[in-house]
Amino acid sequence: MKIFLDDFGLFLGRKRNRFVIKKGGEVKEIVADDVESIICCSSGVSFSSSALNLAVKNNIQVVLARHGGWPYAILMPSSLTGSVRARREQFLAYNDERGFILAKRFVIGKLVNQANLLKLLAKNRRQTSPKLSESLYEAGRAIEQVAAKVDELMAASVDEKRQDLMNLEAEAARSYWGGIQQVVPPELGFKGRETRGARDPFNAMLNFGYQTILFSEIWKAVCYAGLDFYAGYLHADRPGKPSLVLDLMEEFRQQVVDRTLISLMAKGMIKPEEIFAEEGGEEGRILSKEVVKTLLKSLQERLDMEVMFEGQRGTIKGFMHNQARRIARFLLHESDYKPFTLGW
């Protein structure tokens, strides 16, 4: 389980092998063996060093994130798994075909999942909204055509074709977000994808899901696979930019975050007027506490959901860790790399 600390005045302490969460007169104890990560999204939470020590001893990831969701610090044990050889090959692969192949597969995984999610949405609306269903199918088919173009690209290194990959990714994004816009409730005012600083409700929730949940889980997977966070292929090098984490996130965004949010809105579990925090509340808070609670619970359930991939059944979270290990094996010439995709 994850411990979410998203309220001003919370204190996380330790009592032998248990975490103790206190606020006012309320006290809750959780056995450390049951905890896999601790995520703090509030600026008003305090920790004891003993609690952090307990987390480190038990390989529990501690994520400190801003209210919008972006993690500004991640505490993990200093002992890493994996071999040095994988990291050496990771850097060498940037200048040979392996780096390009990985970048291409990340994009293909993303596009296939985009197309399949739109087709799933179309299938669910075939009887109730035939016109909308056809429009979503059409957008999905358009993305498949772009994915075919990506698959045809050839290069000796990622630098030769990165711009082509990005251009094709952008072409598919126009079809994808145009399709998503048709199923998002119009009162949310969703006009298209915006990243950091977005102030419309749907983009704000997307950013929170990508940054707080998906980013931290992929970060952990990359760490445990013994790879370097910053040496990616699709995302260009920039100081402080965890490019490999961002690369691997691409093939999970649609199946983890996008699909969960669309489902929540369709079921009416999040009401538009309740999404944003009230003015005059905790500084920097964008989403209301209730919406954050709903998002965290639903996204965690999605991560723990069992799916089929390549003939194997497992949780999506488990496949994230498998994909990170597959990158390492691909770099070591031990196996091919196939992106994570789900059918519709």
Side-chain angles (χ1 to χ4, degrees), residues 36 64 92 132 175 184 247 263 322:
E36 62 180 61
L64 303 177
L92 291 172
L132 172 59
S175 296
V184 173
D247 283 357
S263 175
N322 282 347

Side-chain angles (χ1 to χ4, degrees), residues 51-292:
L52 296 178
N53 183 266
L54 179 62
V56 169
K57 279 186 175 178
N58 286 275
N59 289 333
I60 297 168
Q61 183 187 45
V62 181
V63 179
L64 303 177
R66 303 191 194 288
H67 284 300
W70 185 251
Y72 62 89
I74 296 179
L75 174 67
M76 295 192 71
S78 55
S79 58
L80 296 174
T81 58
S83 69
V84 173
R85 195 161 67 92
R87 284 198 175 204
R88 292 188 192 280
E89 292 297 331
Q90 182 182 356
F91 288 108
L92 291 172
Y94 187 87
N95 293 315
D96 63 37
E97 191 184 20
R98 290 173 297 174
F100 170 69
I101 291 173
L102 281 175
K104 189 166 83 167
R105 302 278 169 82
F106 295 141
V107 174
I108 289 174
K110 176 180 186 174
L111 301 195
V112 169
N113 280 321
Q114 287 181 338
N116 287 352
L117 179 54
L118 289 179
K119 287 183 175 181
L120 176 67
L121 296 171
K123 185 173 70 174
N124 294 340
R125 289 159 176 77
R126 190 180 298 159
Q127 299 300 324
T128 56
S129 305
K131 194 172 177 181
L132 172 59
S133 175
E134 183 52 39
S135 176
L136 294 171
Y137 272 123
E138 189 177 330
R141 286 193 289 268
I143 294 173
E144 285 178 332
Q145 291 171 5
V146 178
K149 293 180 189 175
V150 173
D151 197 33
E152 290 172 358
L153 291 177
M154 304 288 284
S157 74
V158 67
D159 277 343
E160 287 183 21
K161 294 289 184 182
R162 178 183 288 107
Q163 193 55 54
D164 291 346
L165 288 172
M166 302 295 278
N167 290 342
L168 289 169
E169 188 182 26
E171 182 182 337
R174 286 191 285 275
S175 296
Y176 179 67
W177 292 113
I180 296 298
Q181 186 181 356
Q182 296 179 64
V183 298
V184 173
E187 56 268 35
L188 293 187
F190 179 67
K191 303 296 184 187
R193 180 75 186 112
E194 288 185 29
T195 55
R196 291 190 193 187
R199 298 298 300 178
D200 68 282
F202 196 71
N203 271 310
M205 291 190 291
L206 283 174
N207 290 340
F208 182 86
Y210 293 151
Q211 295 165 1
T212 303
I213 298 297
L214 191 55
F215 180 92
S216 59
E217 199 63 45
I218 296 287
W219 176 285
K220 186 162 61 175
V222 168
C223 174
Y224 286 172
L227 297 171
D228 189 287
F229 309 111
Y230 302 94
Y233 305 101
L234 177 62
H235 290 83
D237 291 350
R238 198 175 67 195
K241 183 179 181 180
S243 296
L244 186 63
V245 178
L246 298 174
D247 283 357
L248 185 53
M249 281 175 65
E250 297 293 3
E251 56 193 64
F252 288 96
R253 290 176 185 266
Q254 308 73 37
Q255 297 294 351
V256 176
V257 180
D258 302 2
R259 183 170 169 167
T260 301
L261 281 191
I262 291 167
S263 175
L264 286 172
M265 302 308 300
K267 294 175 182 173
M269 294 177 68
I270 293 180
K271 295 182 171 54
E273 64 274 16
E274 298 173 350
I275 292 175
F276 286 127
E278 294 179 1
E279 291 186 10
E282 197 174 345
E283 185 179 0
R285 177 177 288 279
I286 298 173
L287 301 174
S288 69
K289 291 179 184 177
E290 284 306 310
V291 164
V292 167

